[in-house]
Amino acid sequence: MLSLCTPFPRRAATILVVMQIIAAHALAAGGSDKSATPMTDIAALLQVQSDVQKLLPQVRLALVAIQTGGGTASGVIISADGLLLTAAHVPGAPGKDMRVILEDGTMTTAKSLGMDKTTDAALAQLKKREKPWPFVSLNREVAKAQPGEWCFALGHPGGFDKARGPVLRVGKIVKQTANSLHTDCVLMGGDSGGPLFNFTGEVIGIHSQIWENRDQNVHVSMAPFLRSWDAMQKSEIIKTWGIGAGGYLGVATVMSDDVELAVADVIEGSPAQKAGVRAGDVILSVNGDAMTDQQQFTATVRARAAGDTLKIKLRNEGKERELSVQLAQKPQEEGQ
């Protein structure tokens, strides 16, 4: 495993542009075996290229390069008053001053706020200025970032290079966990803290780690940020057993023979039991979103903090019912 900060002032010469990435995907889709079924047709790839070309001018203005200590990393501005998302291992602690470089090469400063070191999520604040900061929106529907969806990564691998500009890599989500997204977007040193976007131009992840294989690039999802937002703005460090672990429902689930998400067990005294969830219930939806697998359900629950209320639609013996469940703090003896 590697983190993505790069010792300053190392520069990367690699320039990756949209067409190169699209071509790589086309090759991967068709390969040299012409008898193989294409994974993605050319028309779809051209549409991907067109979508990215439209989005890039809007989102690149919010991308920043970060210099802190002896390393260089990336970040993204997500509000007009200069709130900045990055990876926790970039500043390392709240209250750190960081040098920030904007799209046009302008330098300014930011101070790190709170962070969740367990998931590698961190918030920072740019210094005030007279005009609004350029910014992008967050995707708050965490569970909708599903494997197979197109996405693209931006960052300053190797550090800021005005002549080269930011580096963009197109790929797909290959896995979602409670706190992270794994993609095949190629990441390099210096990408740490940079944004992963969906194809509506919303931030769905923050670059965190690279592993050995090309499809093992890990991005912090928006879940840790959203559930700990207030604490991060107060410069708090989120503890594993605090709200950073997400809300606690208290059910075990299993996929039924009919490929439905079913409740296998309900923990004694849990919020689920108090609300009336029973073993054998089929979970149809949460807050109106259809639940199709365990991973999606886990991510949905853990994206909410203790105290949040979920509306869960269930079916049992042909009868449907909807329950409101207030999530609790996760008991330590239940583990992660």
Side-chain angles (χ1 to χ4, degrees), residues 251-279:
V251 299
T253 60
V254 65
M255 296 305 295
S256 70
D257 293 339
D258 296 328
V259 198
E260 292 182 311
L261 182 64
V263 177
D265 193 16
V266 181
I267 295 174
E268 184 76 21
S270 68
Q273 188 196 46
K274 293 175 182 176
V277 179
R278 303 189 299 265

Side-chain angles (χ1 to χ4, degrees), residues 183-259:
T183 74
D184 57 8
C185 294
V186 177
L187 298 179
M188 300 168 64
D191 274 320
S192 275
L196 181 73
F197 290 98
N198 61 19
F199 270 39
T200 59
E202 299 171 322
V203 179
I204 58 173
I206 294 296
H207 312 327
S208 175
Q209 301 164 4
I210 51 177
W211 292 70
E212 293 181 357
N213 297 329
R214 182 173 176 273
D215 61 350
Q216 291 181 320
N217 304 297
V218 181
H219 318 257
V220 184
S221 76
M222 289 299 99
F225 289 101
L226 295 175
R227 68 174 177 246
S228 306
W229 193 260
D230 291 342
M232 284 192 179
Q233 284 196 292
K234 295 175 183 176
S235 296
E236 296 178 7
I237 297 179
I238 312 303
K239 305 295 185 184
T240 301
W241 295 112
I243 58 176
Y248 170 61
L249 179 61
V251 299
T253 60
V254 65
M255 296 305 295
S256 70
D257 293 339
D258 296 328
V259 198

Side-chain angles (χ1 to χ4, degrees), residues 101-125:
I101 309 174
L102 304 178
E103 162 83 5
D104 61 1
T106 303
M107 286 193 180
T108 185
T109 58
K111 187 176 289 292
S112 60
L113 301 175
M115 58 189 60
D116 184 340
K117 290 188 175 182
T118 302
T119 62
D120 207 17
L123 197 61
Q125 177 68 60

Side-chain angles (χ1 to χ4, degrees), residues 34-332:
K34 295 182 180 179
S35 64
T37 300
M39 295 171 60
T40 308
D41 61 40
I42 295 300
L45 291 174
L46 290 173
Q47 185 61 52
V48 168
Q49 173 183 281
S50 176
D51 290 344
V52 172
Q53 287 175 329
K54 291 177 183 175
L55 289 169
L56 184 57
Q58 305 168 26
V59 301
R60 64 184 294 170
L61 297 178
L63 176 71
V64 300
I66 296 175
Q67 296 173 353
T68 176
T72 182
S74 303
V76 63
I77 307 169
I78 47 85
S79 71
D81 63 355
L83 277 175
L84 183 72
L85 300 188
T86 190
H89 73 266
V90 174
K96 291 284 189 69
D97 290 324
M98 303 185 294
R99 179 180 293 181
V100 174
I101 309 174
L102 304 178
E103 162 83 5
D104 61 1
T106 303
M107 286 193 180
T108 185
T109 58
K111 187 176 289 292
S112 60
L113 301 175
M115 58 189 60
D116 184 340
K117 290 188 175 182
T118 302
T119 62
D120 207 17
L123 197 61
Q125 177 68 60
L126 289 163
K127 71 176 185 181
K128 293 182 180 178
R129 69 175 187 175
E130 294 181 356
K131 60 181 181 181
W133 294 97
F135 68 97
V136 290
S137 300
L138 303 182
N139 182 277
R140 297 179 180 275
E141 301 296 330
V142 177
K144 292 185 177 179
Q146 289 292 301
E149 291 187 10
W150 287 98
C151 56
F152 63 96
L154 279 183
H156 289 287
F160 180 81
D161 187 328
K162 188 174 182 179
R164 180 201 62 188
V167 177
L168 182 150
R169 285 126 305 168
V170 179
K172 286 186 175 180
I173 298 171
V174 296
K175 181 181 178 182
Q176 184 195 59
T177 71
N179 297 307
S180 68
L181 295 171
H182 298 210
T183 74
D184 57 8
C185 294
V186 177
L187 298 179
M188 300 168 64
D191 274 320
S192 275
L196 181 73
F197 290 98
N198 61 19
F199 270 39
T200 59
E202 299 171 322
V203 179
I204 58 173
I206 294 296
H207 312 327
S208 175
Q209 301 164 4
I210 51 177
W211 292 70
E212 293 181 357
N213 297 329
R214 182 173 176 273
D215 61 350
Q216 291 181 320
N217 304 297
V218 181
H219 318 257
V220 184
S221 76
M222 289 299 99
F225 289 101
L226 295 175
R227 68 174 177 246
S228 306
W229 193 260
D230 291 342
M232 284 192 179
Q233 284 196 292
K234 295 175 183 176
S235 296
E236 296 178 7
I237 297 179
I238 312 303
K239 305 295 185 184
T240 301
W241 295 112
I243 58 176
Y248 170 61
L249 179 61
V251 299
T253 60
V254 65
M255 296 305 295
S256 70
D257 293 339
D258 296 328
V259 198
E260 292 182 311
L261 182 64
V263 177
D265 193 16
V266 181
I267 295 174
E268 184 76 21
S270 68
Q273 188 196 46
K274 293 175 182 176
V277 179
R278 303 189 299 265
D281 286 342
V282 172
I283 301 172
L284 301 176
S285 67
V286 175
N287 290 349
D289 293 329
M291 293 291 114
T292 57
D293 59 54
Q294 292 170 289
Q295 188 178 67
Q296 178 196 15
F297 179 66
T298 299
T300 299
V301 173
R302 290 191 176 184
R304 272 73 177 184
D308 286 356
T309 298
L310 300 181
K311 289 190 179 298
I312 303 179
K313 191 173 183 179
L314 304 163
R315 187 182 67 237
N316 200 321
E317 297 182 349
K319 296 181 179 178
E320 296 184 1
R321 67 189 196 281
E322 187 171 74
L323 303 174
S324 292
V325 186
Q326 186 175 40
L327 300 177
Q329 195 77 27
K330 194 170 188 176
Q332 292 197 20

